[in-house]
Amino acid sequence: MSDNSSGKEITVPPIADELGRVFADGGYELHLVGGPVRDAVLRRTVSDLDFTTDARPESTEAILRAHCSTVWTTGADFGTIGGLFRGEQVEVTTFRADAYDRVSRNPIVQYGDNLVDDLERRDFTVNAMAVSLPGHEFADPFGGLADLARRTIRTPASPESSFADDPLRMLRAARFAAQLGFGIDPETLDAMRRMAPELGRITAERIRDEFTKLIMAPDPVVGLRILVDTGLAERFLPELPALRMEIDEHAEHKDVYEHSLQVLRNAIALEQEGPDLQLRLAALLHDIGKPETKDVVAGGGVTFHHHDVAGARLARRRMRELRFPKSDVQAVSLLISLHLRFYGYGEAGWTDSAVRRYVTDAGAQLERLHLLVRSDCTTRNRRKAERLRRDYDAFEDRIARIRAEEDLRAVRPDLDGNAIMELLGLPPGPEVGRAWAFLKELRLERGPMPREEAESELRAWAAREGVAPRRDAE
């Protein structure tokens, strides 16, 4: 079970050894386990320290209260006690040997009496290694070190047993493949295909959180392919595998599925300040309206008219079902709804009014929209790709020029609500809102106007619409 030389070579944060000495003085074992050990072996930054001990929760709490400035017991029912130790947040969990009811996935908490049983209940062998503290005795009973060398994801127990205990581990396997660039052991992968329906036992929130971690990984495409190939994606994001057979209208990609994955990779390459969840989701889902809008025309061609509108609706529904925050739902659906608007700019030309409307409609999502539109160009035709790039460069320059002349990010009518009510003799109410909307459209169309011109246009509108002063406003 042990390999002292391997353990000695693993560098752990000094605070871990300090905590180990505290537990040893109390007569208990303490081990660093899971991801921190994996990352230490890979020479990656170690964070979110995860400890396990043979001390029961009440003993752990007593030790931590004696040495921590703050202690919390919110996880006590599952054997976990947390505290602020030497200014660092630590959590210590008693050895576990849980069983699961395999219906709700809720564990029947049972404390174990040895480290091996605790490691066997963990998700993957690369996360089932431990280092004793402060002695640094290395424990690897399930071959995690060898799997790290082979760059392989495998379960400590049989994959059937592991996934039956917690089906979310199947999504986690895909996520670790994306984060670490690893492959999945064939037996484990086969179990994921067979047991994909078990994902139905997992709450939408847990699926959302795991999927978010996957999509934010360095190369989420690796994990997404696994989700689609195993049938897991069909269980919570069926719009993605539905793209596989939908050839795009230009016949320039193997299929819309491959195109969407490439757009995602393009978007990631354009990120300026780290992983951007809203941009990545919009890139992945931007074409999910194509299957619904596919139409075969004379001569065998294919069109997907209004797939932007359909895609925004589908993305909004799916993200709501997965309990994404409202801000994410709104941002992603807006980006999808607008991702086609730019096309044709180079040939048809746009008025300043059209540019204003584009900027106004995009609002706070304008910069992401720029990145999404650029990412959507996956044509192999270099001349066409270069033309589209030049067109969008010119388009962004034009936006910058107009912005320098007027504040497009907060386009407002030339008259505010008070001025409208005073001019038309109206009290607060829906007619003022209609007048305000008319003036905003006029502002978008013409740009800023002198007050006299705005007032003249408003009077003319009121006459056409039959808006007259109300007696109670006089």
Side-chain angles (χ1 to χ4, degrees), residues 278-291:
Q278 293 176 355
L279 175 62
R280 292 186 180 202
L281 286 172
L284 178 65
L285 304 177
H286 76 286
D287 274 349
I288 60 172
K290 282 189 171 180

Side-chain angles (χ1 to χ4, degrees), residues 287-362:
D287 274 349
I288 60 172
K290 282 189 171 180
E292 181 178 300
T293 58
K294 179 181 178 181
D295 186 31
V296 179
V297 298
V302 177
T303 64
F304 302 98
H305 293 310
H306 306 300
H307 74 268
D308 48 341
V309 177
R313 171 174 49 79
L314 292 171
R316 189 160 46 245
R317 183 185 69 187
R318 184 60 56 196
M319 291 180 67
R320 284 172 176 166
E321 288 181 356
L322 288 172
R323 307 292 193 270
F324 274 94
K326 184 178 180 180
S327 57
D328 289 338
V329 176
Q330 291 176 336
V332 172
S333 59
L334 177 64
L335 288 167
I336 293 173
S337 71
L338 294 176
H339 83 276
L340 288 182
R341 186 173 304 182
F342 165 76
Y343 291 97
Y345 171 80
E347 293 86 2
W350 283 15
T351 63
D352 283 355
S353 171
V355 176
R356 291 188 194 97
R357 199 172 302 279
Y358 185 89
V359 174
T360 302
D361 289 349

Side-chain angles (χ1 to χ4, degrees), residues 228-438:
V228 171
D229 293 345
T230 57
L232 286 164
E234 189 69 42
R235 301 294 162 177
F236 70 95
L237 189 62
E239 293 82 2
L240 182 59
L243 296 174
R244 283 179 295 182
M245 300 304 294
E246 299 295 332
I247 306 302
D248 86 332
E249 65 265 42
H250 307 296
E252 293 172 345
H253 310 283
K254 180 180 178 182
D255 54 34
V256 177
Y257 171 66
E258 293 295 333
H259 164 73
S260 298
L261 296 182
Q262 186 58 52
V263 171
L264 173 58
R265 277 188 164 144
N266 292 348
I268 291 171
L270 293 175
E271 289 174 334
Q272 300 295 315
E273 300 179 0
D276 184 331
L277 176 63
Q278 293 176 355
L279 175 62
R280 292 186 180 202
L281 286 172
L284 178 65
L285 304 177
H286 76 286
D287 274 349
I288 60 172
K290 282 189 171 180
E292 181 178 300
T293 58
K294 179 181 178 181
D295 186 31
V296 179
V297 298
V302 177
T303 64
F304 302 98
H305 293 310
H306 306 300
H307 74 268
D308 48 341
V309 177
R313 171 174 49 79
L314 292 171
R316 189 160 46 245
R317 183 185 69 187
R318 184 60 56 196
M319 291 180 67
R320 284 172 176 166
E321 288 181 356
L322 288 172
R323 307 292 193 270
F324 274 94
K326 184 178 180 180
S327 57
D328 289 338
V329 176
Q330 291 176 336
V332 172
S333 59
L334 177 64
L335 288 167
I336 293 173
S337 71
L338 294 176
H339 83 276
L340 288 182
R341 186 173 304 182
F342 165 76
Y343 291 97
Y345 171 80
E347 293 86 2
W350 283 15
T351 63
D352 283 355
S353 171
V355 176
R356 291 188 194 97
R357 199 172 302 279
Y358 185 89
V359 174
T360 302
D361 289 349
Q365 298 303 320
L366 181 63
E367 299 308 318
R368 283 194 181 94
L369 184 58
H370 289 332
L371 299 182
L372 177 60
V373 174
R374 289 184 181 276
S375 301
D376 197 22
C377 179
T378 62
T379 177
R380 297 186 183 94
N381 184 320
R382 291 185 178 181
R383 183 175 299 177
K384 181 179 180 181
E386 179 61 22
R387 176 176 58 78
L388 287 171
R389 185 192 65 77
R390 288 198 309 268
D391 285 348
Y392 210 86
D393 286 345
F395 184 53
E396 288 199 57
D397 289 343
R398 188 173 177 188
I399 289 173
R401 175 182 61 78
I402 297 176
R403 266 184 163 171
E405 299 170 359
E406 52 186 276
D407 185 5
L408 284 176
R409 287 166 296 182
V411 172
R412 302 183 66 81
D414 294 280
L415 302 176
D416 63 17
N418 289 328
I420 292 171
M421 288 189 289
E422 181 179 352
L423 185 69
L424 298 183
L426 295 175
E431 288 180 333
V432 177
R434 289 175 55 214
W436 190 93
F438 163 74

Side-chain angles (χ1 to χ4, degrees), residues 90-102:
V90 299
E91 289 193 338
V92 182
T93 302
T94 300
F95 289 159
R96 297 268 291 272
D98 295 342
Y100 290 80
D101 61 20
R102 297 192 175 181

